[in-house]
Amino acid sequence: MNPAVVGSTVTLSLSPSVTLTSGNWAVEETFILTWLGEQQAVFPGYSGRAFVNVTSGALTLSALTVTDSGLYQVQSGDPLLRASVSLTFLYFPPTEPISNVTLKVNQSDLIEHRASGLINCSVSTGSSLSFRWMNGSSEVTAADRVQFTDGNSSLNIVSVSRYDSGPFRCEVFNPISNGTSDSVNFTLYFYTVNGPDHMRLTVNGLNITAFSAGSNLSMLCLAESNPPAQLQWGFRGNLVNATGTMLELFHVRADQSGPYSCLAFNNRTNLYSNVTTHITISSKFLLILEAKIPIFLICNFLFGLV
């Protein structure tokens, strides 16, 4: 780049490339460095910011200032050559060095295909900023589900999938500096795995729903959920003061017949599911009829014939 930016680093190399065993670099009448074989010597004023590739003769110069502008020359005696280039170094205000690149995630726990992930990249100081996003070792580019806003400082992934978990990082650069954020990840939850779903409700461990008055009932509710679901019980569409996997009723009456529901909530996925069963509570006589006992046995029982 010519002109180049004050504060940046440049490398001057020969084209076509050539192997050099010795030589020196200078700008105008001032020597920068000289080398012979593997050894190189840097002149005062360039110590710590100039070095040469002792094979190719390429010069790298950092922390450039306006006074570094001028005609750069390289000379070599083996092979015999001389080459030069004129460079100018300028300020490009307002350009402020970048510091403290950070990421902020709107929500790190997301449900696959049901949520969007938003990450904002910011700096404490810096101007004339450019942004690049990385997912692991791959650069993130705009697509149907991938959107960049606010000058590419914000990354929004619509309808996240399991391949969008990260790690994401933000690289920020301007003409004089650069910086990289720490990595962040999304935690993705999958509805069919994390639930709650596949709910089951049993009463006294049986597959029947008719019981006699005066019975004790233990209703067990199970739901597949990760993390474990929070369970709440309901009766006839209204919540009752009971939570957990078990609802126990003692000495039940006929007026306690009706639909009993178990409502499951996963506080990580924010999803609900429920299961309902209808319980009938009746006299022993009705239970005998419901059990379809042969009529001659019922008559024998009622009239004391058995």
Side-chain angles (χ1 to χ4, degrees):
M1 180 184 296
N2 191 14
V5 180
V6 167
S8 63
T9 298
V10 297
T11 297
L12 306 180
S13 57
L14 292 168
S15 180
S17 60
V18 62
T19 300
L20 303 178
T21 59
S22 64
N24 64 72
W25 276 95
V27 56
E28 302 295 348
E29 303 300 325
T30 302
F31 281 104
I32 300 173
L33 57 76
T34 184
W35 80 96
L36 175 63
E38 297 293 327
Q39 303 298 316
Q40 59 181 293
V42 181
F43 286 84
Y46 295 95
S47 179
R49 66 188 191 98
F51 68 89
V52 67
N53 183 314
V54 295
T55 300
S56 66
L59 171 69
T60 298
L61 189 63
S62 61
L64 295 167
T65 67
V66 172
T67 58
D68 287 320
S69 300
L71 181 68
Y72 284 77
Q73 302 178 71
V74 61
Q75 298 185 77
S76 174
D78 184 18
L80 184 64
L81 64 81
R82 176 182 294 178
S84 63
V85 65
S86 182
L87 288 178
T88 302
F89 303 107
L90 300 175
Y91 288 105
F92 285 94
T95 302
E96 185 180 16
I98 294 166
S99 67
N100 192 28
V101 182
T102 57
L103 294 182
K104 182 179 180 181
V105 181
N106 67 329
Q107 184 178 350
S108 59
D109 296 340
L110 303 173
I111 305 171
E112 187 182 30
H113 304 311
R114 293 171 177 254
S116 296
L118 176 63
I119 313 175
N120 296 308
C121 182
S122 62
V123 299
S124 294
T125 62
S127 58
S128 303
L129 303 177
S130 297
F131 297 85
R132 180 170 64 179
W133 290 87
M134 303 295 293
N135 181 358
S137 60
S138 302
E139 183 175 358
V140 181
T141 57
D144 290 341
R145 296 188 305 105
V146 180
Q147 304 167 352
F148 296 107
T149 56
D150 299 327
N152 291 345
S153 65
S154 293
L155 168 65
N156 185 36
I157 303 177
V158 180
S159 185
V160 292
S161 75
R162 63 196 65 195
Y163 306 107
D164 299 323
S165 60
F168 292 96
R169 70 178 186 274
C170 173
E171 299 177 354
V172 187
F173 50 95
N174 65 15
I176 64 172
S177 62
N178 60 79
T180 302
S181 70
D182 292 334
S183 298
V184 298
N185 290 76
F186 291 120
T187 301
L188 293 179
Y189 295 92
F190 314 117
Y191 180 71
T192 56
V193 175
N194 296 91
D197 52 15
H198 301 122
M199 295 189 67
R200 302 178 299 281
L201 196 161
T202 60
V203 185
N204 290 354
L206 304 174
N207 290 324
I208 62 174
T209 57
F211 300 91
S212 61
S215 299
N216 296 331
L217 305 184
S218 294
M219 302 185 195
L220 177 65
C221 179
L222 299 175
E224 295 182 10
S225 177
N226 181 25
Q230 299 172 1
L231 301 178
Q232 174 74 55
W233 291 88
F235 176 55
R236 294 178 181 171
N238 298 313
L239 296 178
V240 299
N241 187 25
T243 59
T245 59
M246 188 75 71
L247 173 64
E248 293 186 300
L249 302 177
F250 301 98
H251 308 295
V252 292
R253 306 179 307 273
D255 61 3
Q256 291 178 282
S257 298
Y260 287 82
S261 300
C262 176
L263 179 67
F265 172 65
N266 186 323
N267 62 6
R268 188 64 65 86
T269 61
N270 290 321
L271 295 177
Y272 290 88
S273 187
N274 67 85
V275 61
T276 299
T277 189
H278 195 286
I279 303 298
T280 301
I281 300 169
S282 58
S283 67
K284 293 182 179 179
F285 173 72
L286 291 177
L287 284 177
I288 292 173
L289 292 180
E290 291 176 356
K292 298 181 180 178
I293 298 175
I295 191 64
F296 72 90
L297 289 179
I298 296 174
C299 293
N300 289 339
F301 175 78
L302 294 176
F303 295 100
L305 298 179
V306 293

